[in-house]
Structures are given as C-alpha cells and as structure tokens.
Amino acid sequence: MTKSPAGSIHKHDPELEASVGKDGIDYTRVNLLRNTSVAKLYEDALRYEPGTSISSAGALVTSSGKKTGRSPRDKRIVDEDSTSEDIWWGPVNTKMTEHAFLINHERAVDYLNTRERLYVFDGYAGWDPKYRLKIRVVCARAYHSLFMHNMLIRPTEEELKNYGEPDFTILNAGAFPANRYTTGMTSSTSVSINFKLRQMVILGTEYAGEMKKGVFTIMHYLMPKAGVLSLHSSANQGPQGDTSLFFGLSGTGKTTLSADPARALIGDDEHVWTDTGVFNIEGGCYAKTIDLSAEKEPEIFGAIRFGSVLENVVFDEDTRVVDYSDKSLTENTRCAYPIEYIPNALIPCVGNMPKNIVMLTCDALGVLPPVSKLTSSQAMYHFISGYTSKMAGTEDGIIEPEATFSACFGQPFLVLHPTQYATMLAAKIEEHKVDVWLINTGWNGGAYGTGKRIALKYSRAIIDAIHNGELKSAEYETYPIFGLEIPKTVTGVPAEVLNPATAWQGTPETFNATVSKLAGLFNENFAKYADQATEDVIAVGPKI
C-alpha cells in the first residue's frame, strides 16, 4: 500500500476495509481514495467527469446533471421499530419499508462496486466534540468528495488516524437510478435514511446538496434525542461575546443580515443550541451565487477560489470568468467552500449562549411591522408558523405574492413534530432570558406592487439597535390583531415606517382587509399544529 500525505489509499487498507466493508462495498477490486487532497480531487474531476472546468478565480466548476436542486418528494425515512413512534410522518417524512431500503442499498452497492475508483471522505458533523457525529461519505465522483470535504468538518491527521467506525454512512450512487417499481418509489430518484442501520442511500440524483441536507436531517433527529436543539439558522457573535441566532427562509435576508463586518460568523445555515452555547454543524458554507457580486457580498465573492466548488454556473469559454447573472442552467447556482475562507469566521465555530434571536420574514402583503418584540409564547407561535412570501415570477404559476409557511423555518428537514423543537426553544428562551424579535424585510406602505421593499439600511439599523441594546429599553405600542409590540422609535429608521398602519399608502379599509387576510392565513396554517400546541401558544395567534 502506498499512502500520500493527504491520506489517499491505494489498493489495500485492511482496517478501513473491515470498517467500510460492512456496507457491502468490495474494496479488493477498486482504487480507494480516502480524504484525498484537494489538488488530487481537482485532477480526477477534470480527467474523469465531463463538464468540469476551473474558473478564472480557481474554483472547480462542476455540473450536477439533470437535477439542479433537492428532490423533497423523493426523500424517504425507513419505518422501523426503534424510531417509528418518534417521527413526524406525513408529507415531509414519507415512510419506506425496511425491505425497500435494502433493495435500494444493494442497488447502490452494486453500482459502486463496478466503479474503477471510489472516494471515501471521513469527517465530522458538529464543532462541539461532545455532540459531533462521525460521518463517512462513499461516492464515485471527485466532485461529491470535494463538496463534502468542504461541508463537513475536516479531521486533523491525528483524528483521521484514530477515526474508527463512523456514526453514519452516506452511500452516494447518484449517477445510478432507483428502480421505479420498488415499493414506495415515485421516480428514479431516491434519497433514503435508515436510522437503525445508520445509513443514507442516494440514487438517481447527483445534486450534492442532498448530502448536506441529509446530514442536517440526521442531526435534526439525533440532537434533540441527545437533549440539545438543532436549528435551521445562521449565527454570529459580537466583540463582547454576545451571540445572535437568525432564522429565516429563502429570500428573507438570513445570510445578508448575519454577515456583519463588526461580528464574527459562527455559521450560515445549521446550528445546535446546547447547555453551554451554540455550535455550527458544518465545516463550510453553501452559498447561492445568482447575481453575486464583489460589491454586494464581498465575503462570499472572495471565498470563491481554489478549493471551492461552483455548481451549474455559466462562464466564458475563453477567460473562464463566471457570469453570476446567467440563470440559463438553473436559478439555484451555488458555491461550497470551507468556512475559514470567510475572513471573520469564528474558528472553532462554537459561540456563547445566545442573547438575541431574530426571526426573519419577507411579508409581501406589507402589514407585518419591520420589527416587533416577541413574548416566549409568540416566539413559539412564529417559530412553528415559519411564515414568509414566495414572490411572483419565482415559480411557474405564481402571478401574485403567495404566503408560504415552513415550520421551524426549515420544514423539509424536520424529523420530529414541529412542536417538539418549539417546546425546546421556548425552554431555552425562558432559561437564558433571550430576547426574541420578528423582523419583516418585505414590503412597507402597501402590498407588493404598490408599497416598497423595506430598505436594507433600515433592516441593518434595526439589527444594530438590537445588538447595542437600544430596543431593549425602547417604548412600545401594541399592534392590533397580531398583538405584536412595536417600538415607537429606532435610530436610523423613519418613525412612520415602524407601524404598518401609518406607513400604509392606501385606504384604511384596504389596510384592514389585508391584515385580516394575512391573519386568516396564519390561523388556517396553525390549525395543523394546534392539537400538539399548548394553550398559551394557541392564544397568541392573530384575532380577527
């Protein structure tokens, strides 16, 4: 056996064979590359994977094939005795039989066993050693191995030497389809998780984000079972050590508002709140790059360099300069890079106990306040609701803004019932006296089409007022129907903007009708969770 400093293994490694071989992979007849160097992965991707190039900035440009986004309808969790009663079964978590999983597992193993080379990446999920999971990725594409090298936490040489058995294994045979006639399959794509066997199998999609969100789904089950709270959020920490969490769906400003040059970035997407503070689950960031520019988001733009993975972007064939405004392949163009590529990242990515929680929404109806202070019960209500607006033109068939609700601001990745996460969150808010804020980065003065998008400078001024303590001692007034507490003044924000009723440019009748419309949507959505919500949480819903 020859071994490079980066940890490539050629031909034979009995210890690894014995460990990984339990997954059914025949390592005696493949070239196995474990925790391979970035340079070697670049070489293999360029040599063996069509459609791979190097951008002018040095990033690896790859194609994820037909699938350029996640396939939530093809996600399955195995229904087995040890976990079945815990799982929130329904549209998010669809049942799969143990037998069907074994069919898919064998199909993936058979495919991987016919490859000339396999890549194994052993890494960690979670920066806190007490809670971190050992995640092993077995895949056939250098692109996938480099992606997970960036997204998982990279072990030191010593940690890799003593890695031992993984806690969870991902078998990525994404270039090979699932058999559509296997029980429970709805297409040739299948992303399935078996908590009893501690395995995840991917068939029929080469979109790398399935692995990232698969790990998050695994953590979303195992962390609450360990007594700590997993969250779909970004997090940063101020010079005085004060940590803030930012919840928000796509387009609400979660990444933009948490990227603050005056504060250290703990992470941009996935965190766990423990008894001692907050830790990032990931070792990297997976940023959207559509319309990216050095002026708008300098940190992300600067992180796109050697070692980063650019997915499904269009570039100049001669200069290799990427055109980030080009949506011809997909609107979901992305880049995966190690978190240390962000200049003000906090390494290790572990923060202190949160002082503030910011729940972000983009209300296209223009009736939610730019900022309001929430009680613990209101925090639970809005956390379970996870409201924002899909904008016209973003999806086929949407001709006007559409309200959408995603429980816990991350419904596709929940494994337990939303109220279980919300109850844990409420307990932590109470115990640590955390201030919770609902911030609307959407419309003001009227709905989409008549009002204006709340200026980013106003949203930033509000965040600054939260962090410097101004809003803690501000004077408040109660906003009817929703019962929200609105500050009367915020430095840097015009007073008339703060209350949607005074900002509204139309008639009082249209304003009241719009408020009632949104309140009705909230009530209709929350009815799905009312059977498992406490009375105090139900009581703070909008009153029409």
Side-chain angles (χ1 to χ4, degrees):
M1 181 189 81
T2 59
K3 185 173 176 179
S4 75
S8 297
I9 295 173
H10 303 276
K11 306 231 164 148
H12 232 28
D13 183 339
E15 185 185 342
L16 187 65
E17 258 182 46
S19 173
V20 191
K22 292 174 183 174
D23 296 323
I25 305 294
D26 179 4
Y27 290 94
T28 62
R29 58 194 182 104
V30 297
N31 183 18
L32 180 69
L33 299 125
R34 183 193 188 203
N35 288 52
T36 313
S37 71
V38 171
K40 169 66 174 159
L41 291 170
Y42 263 56
E43 290 172 9
D44 281 10
L46 290 163
R47 183 178 293 129
Y48 303 117
E49 298 174 17
T52 306
S53 303
I54 299 177
S55 79
S56 59
L60 188 73
V61 180
T62 65
S63 166
S64 65
K66 289 181 182 177
K67 298 274 187 175
T68 58
R70 288 182 300 103
S71 300
R73 291 177 186 169
D74 298 307
K75 188 184 102 176
R76 301 285 183 274
I77 293 180
V78 174
D79 181 15
E80 43 81 18
D81 292 344
S82 68
T83 59
S84 187
E85 289 187 9
D86 297 328
I87 292 169
W88 181 39
W89 298 113
V92 174
N93 299 303
T94 306
K95 292 182 179 182
M96 179 186 223
T97 66
E98 292 182 87
H99 182 68
F101 178 84
L102 292 176
I103 292 172
N104 280 6
H105 181 273
E106 185 156 321
R107 196 168 173 89
V109 165
D110 287 346
Y111 170 79
L112 292 168
N113 278 339
T114 62
R115 301 305 94 196
E116 287 185 21
R117 69 200 65 79
L118 282 185
Y119 302 91
V120 174
F121 184 77
D122 285 339
Y124 299 108
W127 279 86
D128 186 332
K130 183 178 176 182
Y131 296 104
R132 74 182 181 186
L133 291 185
K134 292 184 285 185
I135 305 287
R136 171 166 289 160
V137 181
V138 184
C139 55
R141 288 192 66 177
Y143 146 49
H144 288 153
S145 188
L146 180 56
F147 178 92
M148 290 307 278
H149 166 278
N150 289 351
M151 296 312 302
L152 289 173
I153 298 159
R154 296 155 287 286
T156 63
E157 280 194 34
E158 189 64 24
E159 287 172 331
L160 191 58
K161 199 191 307 180
N162 300 303
Y163 193 79
E165 294 281 331
D167 297 310
F168 231 97
T169 300
I170 298 173
L171 296 179
N172 188 339
F176 197 62
N179 185 331
R180 288 177 295 133
Y181 298 103
T182 301
T183 304
M185 295 297 99
T186 48
S187 75
S188 59
T189 298
S190 173
V191 179
S192 53
I193 294 173
N194 188 324
F195 283 105
K196 185 162 80 173
L197 297 181
R198 298 286 179 118
Q199 292 180 353
M200 176 179 175
V201 171
I202 299 173
L203 291 165
T205 173
E206 295 180 78
Y207 180 66
E210 295 287 10
M211 294 183 288
K212 167 195 157 65
K213 288 305 186 186
V215 171
F216 189 37
T217 301
I218 291 161
M219 294 291 277
H220 245 350
Y221 177 74
L222 295 177
M223 290 300 99
K225 300 296 278 185
V228 292
L229 177 59
S230 45
L231 296 164
H232 184 221
S233 72
S234 58
N236 64 25
Q237 187 164 290
Q240 307 304 315
D242 58 300
T243 297
S244 290
L245 296 175
F246 295 79
F247 302 151
L249 299 168
S250 181
T252 60
K254 178 165 60 104
T255 301
T256 303
L257 292 173
S258 63
D260 186 333
R263 298 172 66 84
L265 181 71
I266 300 168
D268 77 329
D269 197 43
E270 304 171 8
H271 292 85
V272 174
W273 189 347
T274 70
D275 293 334
T276 55
V278 171
F279 69 82
N280 189 354
I281 290 173
E282 301 182 295
C285 302
Y286 192 35
K288 289 180 184 147
T289 59
I290 201 71
D291 294 325
L292 181 70
S293 69
E295 294 73 35
K296 282 197 293 186
E297 295 181 273
E299 288 94 355
I300 294 173
F301 193 87
I304 301 175
R305 49 191 167 97
F306 180 77
S308 300
V309 179
L310 273 170
E311 286 179 331
N312 304 314
V313 297
V314 176
F315 56 88
D316 185 283
E317 287 292 333
D318 182 34
T319 64
R320 294 299 197 260
V321 172
V322 176
D323 180 358
Y324 291 112
S325 66
D326 193 316
K327 305 174 186 177
S328 58
L329 296 178
T330 177
E331 288 207 13
N332 191 35
T333 55
R334 287 187 179 259
C335 183
Y337 50 86
I339 194 160
E340 57 265 29
Y341 282 18
I342 296 293
N344 65 332
L346 185 67
I347 309 288
C349 303
V350 181
N352 296 326
M353 202 60 72
K355 284 187 68 177
N356 291 287
I357 291 174
V358 175
M359 297 182 179
L360 296 162
T361 182
C362 172
D363 173 33
L365 294 175
V367 293
L368 282 184
V371 58
S372 45
K373 194 175 190 305
L374 303 182
T375 64
S376 177
S377 298
Q378 286 176 325
M380 278 187 74
Y381 182 90
H382 286 279
F383 182 64
I384 293 169
S385 298
Y387 164 70
T388 196
S389 299
K390 283 182 184 173
M391 300 312 302
T394 57
E395 293 181 18
D396 288 344
I398 297 179
I399 55 175
E400 62 178 28
E402 185 179 286
T404 183
F405 296 87
S406 183
C408 307
F409 295 97
Q411 184 167 308
F413 323 116
L414 301 183
V415 184
L416 310 176
H417 192 280
T419 55
Q420 294 191 46
Y421 300 99
T423 301
M424 291 181 75
L425 180 67
K428 289 191 172 293
I429 289 169
E430 288 288 344
E431 182 184 354
H432 302 291
K433 303 292 181 274
V434 183
D435 291 320
V436 186
W437 314 87
L438 181 67
I439 292 184
N440 174 24
T441 59
W443 269 253
N444 190 255
Y448 174 79
T450 57
K452 287 183 182 176
R453 185 86 190 247
I454 295 167
L456 180 59
K457 64 180 179 181
Y458 295 161
S459 296
R460 288 199 188 279
I462 289 166
I463 298 293
D464 289 344
I466 289 170
H467 288 147
N468 66 26
E470 179 189 332
L471 287 189
K472 204 168 173 66
S473 56
E475 189 181 346
Y476 287 83
E477 59 183 322
T478 303
Y479 185 54
I481 296 182
F482 281 88
L484 298 169
E485 294 297 307
I486 307 173
K488 291 185 176 181
T489 59
V490 178
T491 302
V493 183
E496 63 272 15
V497 169
L498 295 171
N499 190 320
T502 56
W504 194 260
Q505 299 295 305
T507 65
E509 290 76 22
T510 58
F511 175 75
N512 292 331
T514 309
V515 174
S516 295
K517 176 184 176 181
L518 183 59
L521 293 171
F522 264 91
N523 290 337
E524 182 185 337
N525 173 73
F526 201 82
K528 293 183 287 188
Y529 311 111
D531 62 326
Q532 293 199 38
T534 55
E535 286 299 322
D536 62 307
V537 174
I538 296 169
V540 298
K543 294 171 180 61
I544 304 174

